[in-house]
Amino acid sequence: MSPSDVSRPAKPKTVFDRDAEWDALVAFAGGIRPGPGLGVVSGRLRQGKTHLLKSLTAALGGFYFGAQSATQAESLRRLADELSRYTGTRPPSPWHGWEEAVDALLALGDRRPVPIVIDEFPDLVRQSPPLPSAIHSAYRRLRATNPDNRARLLLSGSTLPVMHRLFSAASPLRGLTDLHLTLRPLDYRQAARLWDIDDPGLALLVHAVVGGTPAYWGYAGERAPAGPDDFDAWVCRTVLNPRTPLFLEAHHLLQEETDHWDRALCHSALAAVASGCSTQGEIAERLGAPLTDAARCLALLRENGLLHGEPDAFRPNLIRLRVTEPLLAFEHAAVWSQRSALEQQGGDEVWRHMRPVFDSAVVGPHFAQICRDWVMDFADPAVFGAPPATAAYGSLPDPARVAGPDVQAEVVVRGPTDTRPSALLSVGVTRWDQVMDLHHLEQLRHLLDLLAAHGEDVTHTRPACYSGVGFTSALRAAEDNGHVVLVDLDRLYRGR
């Protein structure tokens, strides 16, 4: 700890993980360097932003204000009342606008570093579009007239398109900000620890349903399945139970994230992606909608962080989309068409019909994504001969199968890109529910031959097999001889 900083409080036990985020916030809010600071905290709903920021202000004696949908006058009255309670003084005369309110907030930093949090900042901007300009003017003025002020204003929001626009490179606020922090969902290993699940197979199944969103732990009553045999019953008593918050969470999440756009089209688009359509053309055809309408819908979902697009590993001009929130994928692949049956028959009976769809359409693709995440976040660089730059899905037409499906590799690993095409470090296939054998290795060798014919340098490309069940002794022997990289569940969750 630098001697120029005040003592840094320990992260509260109620905040799970988020060590790096806590350290960044404390360093920003508690640093005693002169001059006012401006920080931005963004992230999708349910990721724990509010709890983290309230914990920060409690630990450092700061001020927290949570914005609500209201008129400007009401918001200013609420802020004035809460500020007077915080300072122990009488409420100020009614503010005529946000200029006065911002000046009063920043004055809290006249004597010491103090975090000042405005949560759900986009709600205030909707009410008062000139607010960002008022903040910009206040900072310019304060830095010129009171450079010893040490206010640390933190603006937080869940409406990602608005946050991006407010703090983009073209925004005047961008040049004032000292901290940009994004709270993302917990990764799959962190999620297993949150849910206290030791069995990697069970951890992956639970993650395929609720992902790494911390709030869902509470929504499920802070209870994971008692074991693999309890998973089906757990799904029925939590996600498929109309009396629990998770039952309609996917609906609420889409409603809140997409504002007032065409939600029916958004639901259908997510269902198309969750069922296997991955390109804009495939999705538009599935929707029966004009390509322009489908494109606008997909752009909205991507802006709100609900869809992610990345280039095909072998055909970079082809952008493939996937649902980023596992609960939305679970809902739209397995549950969406069964909603009425769930309300009439109950979860147990319906889940028996849904389970095969869940295994194939949800768990299989989710397992493949977990394998790609492992490559990027946990694998030792030596596994592939160099640090990976990307891990993506790839597909390639097979001239020997003119009318047949493309040859696919769920985990294509490429090295850093410089002036030359990025090195192809590995091609891998994933099988969630299959014991993998030598014929899977032969499929990969055939793909490598196709890639070489397309001009790829495959001299040092390592075949890899990822299985949720295991490998035959023959494939293990090939691993021992250095012919293939094998990754099972235990390695995904515990190894490198």
Side-chain angles (χ1 to χ4, degrees):
M1 181 176 67
S2 168
S4 64
D5 292 340
V6 297
S7 61
R8 297 191 178 181
K11 186 190 71 176
K13 292 182 179 179
T14 57
V15 177
F16 178 81
D17 204 274
R18 304 300 193 196
D19 295 336
E21 292 88 345
W22 177 261
D23 290 344
L25 286 169
V26 170
F28 166 78
I32 63 173
R33 62 171 181 79
L38 179 64
V40 181
V41 180
S42 61
R44 284 185 18 232
L45 292 165
R46 320 290 195 257
Q47 303 310 317
K49 296 185 301 300
T50 295
H51 181 62
L52 185 65
L53 292 170
K54 284 184 174 180
S55 299
L56 178 76
T57 55
L60 292 177
F63 174 73
Y64 173 91
F65 177 73
Q68 297 175 348
S69 296
T71 65
Q72 172 176 302
E74 182 182 347
S75 293
L76 287 171
R77 281 195 298 269
R78 281 189 56 236
L79 177 58
D81 289 343
E82 294 190 24
L83 185 59
S84 68
R85 283 195 293 271
Y86 172 76
T87 58
T89 60
R90 295 179 59 185
S93 300
W95 291 318
H96 295 96
W98 277 105
E99 292 81 1
E100 295 175 275
V102 172
D103 286 341
L105 287 174
L106 295 179
L108 295 175
D110 283 344
R111 296 185 178 181
R112 65 179 180 91
V114 58
I116 305 158
V117 172
I118 298 180
D119 203 359
E120 293 308 332
F121 181 64
D123 283 348
L124 295 183
V125 177
R126 289 191 187 97
Q127 305 160 22
S128 309
L131 175 55
S133 296
I135 293 174
H136 180 260
S137 298
Y139 267 77
R140 293 286 297 272
R141 187 167 58 252
L142 189 61
R143 288 180 173 178
T145 61
N146 189 4
D148 291 329
N149 177 283
R150 289 166 291 170
R152 306 293 185 245
L153 181 61
L154 284 159
L155 305 176
S156 175
S158 304
T159 311
L160 298 185
V162 177
M163 294 297 287
H164 292 159
R165 184 169 66 252
L166 289 173
F167 301 99
S168 67
S171 168
L173 291 180
R174 175 78 178 203
L176 298 176
T177 52
D178 307 293
L179 174 71
H180 290 264
L181 184 65
T182 301
L183 240 64
R184 306 185 188 281
L186 302 173
D187 67 48
Y188 68 94
R189 288 188 178 184
Q190 292 169 325
R193 293 197 297 272
L194 172 66
W195 289 82
D196 195 23
I197 301 175
D198 292 328
D199 183 291
L202 178 60
L204 192 138
L205 286 174
V206 170
H207 196 268
V209 177
V210 292
T213 296
Y216 297 161
W217 161 245
Y219 287 8
E222 300 185 355
R223 287 190 174 185
D229 294 339
D230 186 44
F231 174 74
D232 292 326
W234 175 82
V235 170
C236 293
R237 65 178 179 259
T238 55
V239 190
L240 302 184
N241 182 353
R243 295 184 297 275
T244 67
L246 281 173
F247 183 71
L248 290 176
E249 170 62 12
H251 171 77
H252 293 321
L253 185 64
L254 187 62
Q255 186 176 38
E256 293 167 343
E257 295 279 18
T258 57
D259 205 6
H260 299 292
W261 213 75
D262 189 341
R263 294 189 184 116
L265 189 61
C266 290
H267 277 295
S268 295
L270 288 170
V273 178
S275 66
C277 299
S278 63
T279 66
Q280 185 170 285
E282 291 173 343
I283 297 164
E285 183 178 358
R286 176 72 174 263
L287 297 179
L291 188 60
T292 52
D293 288 352
R296 287 178 58 209
C297 174
L298 297 175
L300 175 75
L301 293 170
R302 291 182 68 175
E303 282 180 342
N304 282 277
L306 302 180
L307 285 181
H308 176 71
E310 59 189 9
D312 185 287
F314 303 137
R315 293 180 281 182
N317 292 329
L318 182 64
I319 302 299
R320 297 195 177 275
L321 298 167
R322 62 177 175 85
V323 181
T324 57
E325 172 54 60
L327 186 66
L328 284 176
F330 173 79
E331 166 74 21
H332 289 87
V335 183
W336 186 244
S337 62
Q338 302 292 327
R339 275 288 170 188
S340 59
L342 278 171
E343 294 171 356
Q344 296 172 17
Q345 303 174 28
D348 292 350
E349 180 65 27
V350 177
W351 177 244
R352 277 192 285 272
H353 296 286
M354 291 165 52
R355 181 65 199 258
V357 177
F358 170 71
D359 289 334
S360 60
V362 179
V363 187
H366 190 75
F367 176 66
Q369 184 57 47
I370 292 295
C371 294
R372 293 189 286 269
D373 291 344
W374 176 82
V375 169
M376 297 303 298
D377 298 336
F378 301 109
D380 191 307
V383 171
F384 304 108
T390 61
Y393 173 93
S395 63
L396 201 65
D398 186 348
R401 291 186 263 166
V402 178
D406 291 348
V407 181
Q408 303 173 22
E410 290 84 1
V411 187
V412 180
V413 185
R414 290 191 178 275
T417 303
D418 48 23
T419 56
R420 304 181 305 278
S422 56
L424 184 60
L425 303 180
S426 176
V427 292
V429 290
T430 66
R431 298 293 184 270
W432 161 248
D433 57 356
Q434 290 182 27
V435 176
M436 301 186 77
D437 201 350
L438 288 176
H439 77 275
H440 294 102
L441 179 55
E442 290 305 315
Q443 291 174 3
L444 288 171
R445 287 170 173 162
H446 174 62
L447 174 57
L448 289 173
D449 289 341
L450 290 177
L451 290 168
H454 278 76
E456 286 268 13
D457 181 2
V458 300
T459 307
H460 302 291
T461 305
R462 302 183 181 186
C465 292
Y466 304 78
S467 174
V469 182
F471 311 98
T472 63
S473 57
L475 196 57
R476 285 288 186 191
E479 178 190 37
D480 293 339
N481 292 325
H483 297 155
V484 64
V485 174
L486 302 184
V487 182
D488 57 14
L489 284 171
D490 190 68
R491 190 171 184 182
L492 284 176
Y493 274 86
R494 303 186 181 99
R496 291 172 56 80

